[in-house]
Amino acid sequence: MNLPLTVSDEVRALAPGFTHVAVEAYGLVNRPSTDGTSELLDDAARRLAVRLDGRAPHEDRHMAAWREVYTAFGSKPSRTRNSAEALAKRALSAAGLPRINVLVDIYNAISVAHLIPVGGEDLDRVQGGMRLVRATGDEDFVTVAAGEEAVEHPDAGEVVWCDEAGVTCRRWNWRQGPRTRLTEESTSAVFLLESLAPMPVADVEAAGAELAELIEKFSPGARIEIHAPA
């Protein structure tokens, strides 16, 4: 793996069933959403509806596990949902899933179809390695509020992804900062698929393999590395 990626002992203790698969991709060509990615998102919503079979997203066992972990580090899961549950709710609503750009559409489709949190970071904007830690509360999280750049700080004990410059995603996978998000100028990326027990590790691996296939389909010639679950 070209990107150092670590999970702290404190996070492992909080969520001993946590597993993640990282997919690194180089030589990407991103662009605005296409008819192809729009179809992917619509298909993902259909797959989700079949998976849930009339249940609400939070009633799924995997989503329930994420709610328990969010509660454990002091977050209210009905207000700050993990990214997969939030996307699933949108997918099942009249509004449907947003169309952002090709790379974001691809990983959102995988997230919804497999009901697993998936995120994407621009490797050219990540500074140093990425770490999943429990925050001290002093870290900087640069975001945008009312059209202006603003700096927030996570709560002490909150689980965050961070690099050497600060927090890249708050409340585990709830809210990504704009600094490292994938844009139409992005040419290299790391995608993180995150799961908790009771989701089998094989299911996370299958989602990662499908993601890699879609990246290759929409960005032919990209160099893609799938890393073993950790």
Side-chain angles (χ1 to χ4, degrees):
M1 179 181 291
N2 294 319
L3 174 72
L5 191 65
T6 58
V7 178
S8 72
D9 291 341
E10 291 79 10
V11 172
R12 294 290 189 192
L14 179 74
F18 174 63
T19 299
H20 66 85
V21 168
V23 179
E24 287 189 53
Y26 302 86
L28 298 167
V29 179
N30 200 11
R31 55 195 181 281
S33 301
T34 66
D35 290 344
T37 60
S38 185
E39 290 172 6
L40 270 182
L41 292 167
D42 289 341
D43 181 62
R46 289 190 289 268
R47 291 168 65 181
L48 173 68
V50 171
R51 175 185 289 266
L52 291 174
D53 192 24
R55 295 172 297 152
H58 71 268
E59 295 177 290
D60 176 83
R61 292 175 65 211
H62 191 213
M63 295 298 94
W66 277 104
R67 283 192 166 217
E68 290 176 6
V69 168
Y70 269 49
T71 300
F73 67 76
S75 185
K76 295 182 178 179
S78 60
R79 291 180 55 190
T80 55
R81 296 178 175 87
N82 75 81
S83 64
E85 184 182 332
L87 274 176
K89 284 181 65 67
R90 291 200 63 172
L92 297 174
S93 72
L97 290 165
R99 276 59 172 165
I100 309 297
N101 59 54
V102 166
L103 292 177
V104 175
D105 290 354
I106 288 171
Y107 79 69
N108 279 348
I110 293 296
S111 177
V112 169
H114 292 265
L115 205 52
I116 180 173
V118 184
E121 307 284 347
D122 188 322
L123 283 172
D124 292 326
R125 300 182 181 186
V126 173
Q127 298 187 29
M130 290 185 63
R131 296 172 290 119
L132 186 65
V133 301
R134 300 197 70 174
T136 64
D138 297 325
E139 299 89 346
D140 288 344
F141 177 70
V142 179
T143 186
V144 175
E148 300 289 335
E149 184 176 288
V151 178
E152 299 177 355
H153 303 283
D155 299 326
E158 180 182 325
V159 177
V160 297
W161 279 104
C162 59
D163 66 2
E164 291 182 1
V167 173
T168 59
C169 195
R170 286 200 58 189
R171 296 195 175 102
W172 208 313
N173 48 49
W174 166 66
R175 183 176 167 201
Q176 183 186 31
R179 174 170 59 88
T180 58
R181 68 177 48 152
L182 295 173
T183 69
E184 292 169 25
E185 287 73 46
S186 299
T187 59
S188 61
V190 60
F191 302 89
L192 294 173
L193 300 88
E194 303 179 297
S195 73
L196 297 170
M199 175 172 275
V201 173
D203 288 2
V204 189
E205 292 179 299
E210 185 179 346
L211 174 62
E213 289 174 2
L214 290 174
I215 295 169
E216 174 61 28
K217 176 182 177 180
F218 284 91
S219 197
R223 181 166 63 88
I224 302 168
E225 303 172 30
I226 305 176
H227 301 283

